[in-house]
């Protein structure tokens, strides 16, 4: 049986590097949800690599940080592109229009009438949902940016065979 | 040597095949000194590892050196193991030599497999992994405990998955790696 506590750094690094590799394969084949890839494989790999001393100079340690950083960077770029697209712009305009319509209905209808008005209720539910989706997208974008920067900094600190990377903001 | 003497220096690339053969001969000589002078195995392995780091060349020139090393280590291991079996109570020094050679050959086969895979030489990689599989199964024949290299079978499986991926068998590679991760997480828990 593998006694991990007594194992050398290169042995301890085997499981996390396998996790990192599988995560990168899932990302390449788009076989899994991005949040599952991040949490179950890439972040877990980085967390377990923390048990392996970076001073051991193992390139697999830096590889984990770099893979997670690049994946988060890729997701950040994807959300950025999505938010600059015409479809998203149209969605934003639609949301503004719904909000204006809601304000108009609120000014015309009393509180009791609003709860009876189906159009108002549907519009309210839909715009709340759209608003939440938009906020969630913004918060995902922030979180991916932080994750990418954090891991790129880890790579720089480890300083072993660091590849060049750029972050377009 | 005559091919080296008569080679044109306009391009050093033409010297590489002769230099590769010369390096193989040098390593045969170094391995021989292990038998005749009883020099330490660790020093030989360390020298070879350091030399490999400097061999920044095409795989076609590195492969013969790696193949020669694996063959030499296999012969040395075989003769050391035979020496252990031939004695009723072999000294610890010889036992340590067997263990050291076993580890060195495992490393040598892994390096050969990895280099071949990275160079796109998938048949050589497959051959090296097959040899490694056989080497692992023969550890008890050499009198080497399985607990010595507990991670070796896992490393072998990982390399097999990587080879499948490089070959384009993406589904197979992912299934192999997923199975390995499942087994590993069960061991860890």
């Amino acid at each position: 049986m593998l006694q991990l506590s007594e194992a050398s750094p290169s042995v301890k690094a085997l499981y996390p590097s396998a996790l990192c590799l599988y995560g990168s394969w899932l990302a390449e084949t788009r076989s899994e949800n991005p949040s599952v890839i991040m949490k179950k494989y890439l972040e877990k790999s980085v967390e377990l690599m923390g048990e392996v001393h970076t001073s051991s100079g193992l390139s697999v340690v830096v590889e984990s940080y770099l893979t997670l950083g690049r994946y988060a960077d890729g997701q950040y770029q994807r959300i950025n592109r999505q938010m600059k697209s015409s479809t998203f712009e149209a969605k934003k305009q639609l949301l503004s229009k719904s909000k204006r319509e809601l304000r108009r209905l609120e000014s015309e209808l009393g509180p009791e009438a609003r709860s009876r008005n189906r159009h108002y209720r549907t519009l309210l539910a839909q715009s709340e949902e759209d608003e939440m989706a938009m906020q969630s997208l913004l918060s995902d974008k922030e979180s991916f940016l932080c994750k990418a920067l954090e891991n790129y900094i880890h790579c720089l600190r480890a300083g072993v065979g660091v590849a060049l990377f750029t972050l377009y903001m | 040597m005559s091919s080296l003497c008569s080679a044109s220096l306009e391009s050093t690339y033409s010297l590489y095949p002769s230099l590769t053969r010369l390096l193989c001969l040098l390593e045969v000589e170094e391995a021989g000194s292990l038998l005749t002078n009883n020099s330490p195995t660790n020093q030989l392995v360390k020298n070879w590892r350091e030399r490999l780091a400097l061999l920044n060349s095409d795989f076609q020139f590195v492969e013969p050196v790696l193949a020669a090393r694996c063959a030499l280590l296999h012969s040395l291991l075989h003769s050391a193991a035979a020496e252990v079996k031939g004695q009723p109570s072999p000294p610890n020094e010889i036992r340590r030599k067997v263990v050291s050679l076993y580890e060195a050959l495992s490393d040598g086969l892994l390096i050969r497999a990895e280099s071949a895979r990275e160079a796109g030489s998938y048949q050589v990689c497959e051959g090296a992994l097959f040899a490694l599989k056989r080497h692992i199964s023969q550890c008890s024949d050499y009198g080497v405990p399985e607990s010595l290299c507990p991670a070796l079978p896992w490393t072998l499986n990982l390399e097999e998955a990587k080879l499948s991926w490089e070959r384009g068998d993406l589904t197979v590679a992912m299934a192999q790696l997923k199975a390995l991760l499942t087994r590993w997480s069960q061991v860890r828990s």
Side-chain angles (χ1 to χ4, degrees):
Chain A
M1 193 64 81
L2 199 61
Q3 294 296 334
L4 279 174
S5 53
E6 295 152 8
S8 66
S10 55
V11 171
K12 280 186 185 172
L14 272 173
Y15 179 58
S17 71
L19 275 174
C20 175
L21 184 65
Y22 192 68
S24 68
W25 286 358
L26 283 173
E28 212 173 304
T29 54
R30 294 172 205 259
S31 310
E32 196 56 92
N33 199 305
S35 60
V36 169
I37 293 174
M38 290 270 288
K39 285 193 171 44
K40 249 180 112 173
Y41 298 101
L42 302 182
E43 283 178 358
K44 195 173 170 191
S45 163
V46 162
E47 189 193 310
L48 291 171
M49 279 295 188
E51 294 168 25
V52 182
H53 295 298
T54 49
S55 58
S56 68
L58 287 177
S59 60
V60 287
V61 178
V62 177
E63 191 70 41
S64 269
Y65 288 132
L66 195 59
T67 308
L68 178 53
R70 280 192 171 142
Y71 187 70
D73 188 2
Q75 291 303 307
Y76 168 77
Q77 303 294 346
R78 180 186 60 83
I79 294 176
N80 232 2
R81 278 193 302 271
Q82 192 180 340
M83 288 177 80
K84 286 177 183 166
S85 70
S86 52
T87 321
F88 188 81
E89 200 53 47
K91 260 190 192 169
K92 257 172 77 176
Q93 283 177 7
L94 212 64
L95 184 61
S96 313
K97 195 178 165 189
S98 305
K99 282 182 174 170
R100 281 197 301 271
E101 179 66 13
L102 274 169
R103 280 197 293 273
R104 187 189 67 80
L105 286 169
E106 277 165 9
S107 64
E108 282 177 12
L109 303 166
E112 273 187 37
R114 280 181 222 162
S115 58
R116 283 199 303 268
N117 190 309
R118 189 191 279 187
H119 173 60
Y120 176 81
R121 285 196 329 261
T122 318
L123 201 60
L124 183 66
Q126 209 157 353
S127 53
E128 276 175 357
E129 220 177 276
D130 288 344
E131 182 70 43
M132 266 176 63
M134 214 154 278
Q135 289 303 323
S136 166
L137 200 65
L138 273 166
S139 106
D140 280 351
K141 183 180 154 185
E142 288 287 319
S143 135
F144 282 131
L145 177 61
C146 292
K147 193 64 66 175
L149 280 170
E150 188 190 317
N151 285 280
Y152 284 158
I153 289 168
H154 277 304
C155 287
L156 288 169
R157 280 166 77 183
V160 176
V162 175
L164 283 175
F165 45 75
T166 51
L167 194 62
Y168 294 101
M169 293 164 61
Chain B
M1 287 303 290
S2 59
S3 59
L4 273 173
C5 297
S6 56
S8 159
L9 285 176
E10 279 179 18
S11 163
T12 52
Y13 196 82
S14 57
L15 296 173
Y16 286 3
S18 309
L19 287 174
T20 304
R21 286 193 290 274
L22 202 57
L23 183 55
C24 289
L25 282 173
L26 174 67
E27 297 203 347
V28 168
E29 195 180 10
E30 285 173 346
S33 72
L34 211 72
L35 285 171
T36 51
N37 303 340
N38 222 9
S39 38
T41 317
N42 293 341
Q43 191 55 46
L44 174 76
V45 170
K46 187 169 169 256
N47 291 343
W48 283 1
R49 199 167 280 154
E50 281 168 5
R51 196 176 291 148
L52 190 67
L54 297 170
L55 277 177
N56 188 14
S57 192
D58 286 351
F59 183 68
Q60 60 172 314
F61 302 119
V62 173
E63 202 275 325
V65 178
L66 294 176
R69 280 186 187 178
C70 290
L72 288 166
L73 286 168
H74 187 258
S75 307
L76 288 169
L77 175 60
H78 216 69
S79 68
E83 204 180 326
V84 164
K85 276 191 185 154
Q87 298 181 23
S89 53
N92 281 336
E93 201 185 308
I94 302 179
R95 281 186 197 274
R96 275 197 295 270
K97 192 174 177 180
V98 169
V99 162
S100 197
L101 285 166
Y102 183 86
E103 282 177 333
L105 181 53
S106 312
D107 276 345
L109 286 167
L110 267 171
I111 288 168
R112 192 171 173 214
E114 204 179 303
S115 309
R117 178 176 48 79
E118 284 169 3
S121 198
Y122 302 136
Q123 277 189 316
V124 172
C125 178
E126 205 175 327
L129 290 177
F130 181 75
L132 182 60
K133 200 178 268 188
R134 201 175 49 206
H135 175 68
I136 293 170
S137 65
Q138 286 172 345
C139 68
S140 53
D141 296 345
Y142 296 126
V144 170
E146 271 184 41
S147 55
L148 176 73
C149 307
L152 198 52
W154 308 97
T155 316
L156 169 65
N157 291 151
L158 186 58
E159 281 300 319
E160 283 172 337
K162 285 179 183 175
L163 177 61
S164 300
W165 180 267
E166 292 294 331
R167 275 187 145 146
D169 295 329
L170 307 189
T171 323
V172 169
M174 289 180 74
Q176 284 173 321
L177 190 50
K178 181 74 184 156
L180 181 63
L181 286 171
T182 311
R183 284 200 325 265
W184 215 318
S185 63
Q186 284 165 359
V187 165
R188 283 174 63 88
S189 57

